[in-house]
Amino acid sequence: MTDNSHPRLRELHAQRESALRTWLVVNAALLGAIERLGQLRAAKAEALKARGISAHQLAQFRRWEQGAAKPTEYRTLASYAQHRHIIAPIDRRWDGVITTAQVEVDRATTDLAVATADLLSTMHAALASELTGLSVRRLSTIVRAVANTHSAPTTRTVQRP
């Protein structure tokens, strides 16, 4: 196809190459964002562990913070207060950057979905599947999700009496 001198075929070939390059770049960006988010979450977990907070203690603290019945026994209340003084500063330190990283992942996921839809607009699903390593079913799911979230808003005319 690249040796064909027909202008329309050359144009289609260029569109396919461009769509694939874009998809590869956006996919790499998503993988990088996911890796960064994982590293930040691991660092926060390590900070909690270094301060002596176990996963069980953290889970119990989170349940209490989310409205579960707070402890009534003095030892448990003291432990809760001690954990609050340890966990709250760690949350303040890490939650902002983790939220920012999650936004980056969400944005990159949307960008990849749009790039996937663009890729499929230039080639058959079987070829896109082979080039991206995604199944045809997964590609179709992505395209449907993009169509649902990026569809043009419908406008209704309201007649007033």
Side-chain angles (χ1 to χ4, degrees), residues 32-89:
I34 290 170
E35 183 177 336
R36 176 167 161 64
L37 178 60
Q39 290 170 348
L40 290 170
R41 286 180 174 164
K44 180 181 177 182
E46 190 60 37
L48 288 165
K49 185 178 173 184
R51 294 292 313 267
I53 303 295
S54 71
H56 173 74
Q57 291 168 327
L58 182 61
Q60 184 62 51
F61 179 81
R62 297 287 186 227
R63 281 192 296 276
W64 289 334
E65 288 294 300
Q66 293 174 355
K70 299 248 190 314
T72 55
E73 180 186 305
Y74 176 76
R75 281 183 48 209
T76 310
L77 273 173
S79 174
Y80 170 74
Q82 179 185 12
H83 289 145
R84 173 182 279 175
H85 289 306
I86 294 169
I87 294 170

Side-chain angles (χ1 to χ4, degrees), residues 7-61:
R8 179 68 182 136
L9 289 178
R10 280 196 315 265
E11 180 185 335
L12 288 173
H13 182 72
Q15 287 173 349
R16 283 181 176 179
E17 284 183 347
S18 175
L20 180 59
R21 268 193 309 274
T22 300
W23 188 91
L24 291 170
V25 167
V26 173
N27 186 51
L30 174 59
L31 294 175
I34 290 170
E35 183 177 336
R36 176 167 161 64
L37 178 60
Q39 290 170 348
L40 290 170
R41 286 180 174 164
K44 180 181 177 182
E46 190 60 37
L48 288 165
K49 185 178 173 184
R51 294 292 313 267
I53 303 295
S54 71
H56 173 74
Q57 291 168 327
L58 182 61
Q60 184 62 51
F61 179 81

Side-chain angles (χ1 to χ4, degrees), residues 117-132:
D118 290 344
L119 183 68
L120 288 172
S121 73
T122 65
M123 64 183 69
H124 294 290
L127 179 58
S129 174
E130 185 177 330
L131 293 172
T132 63

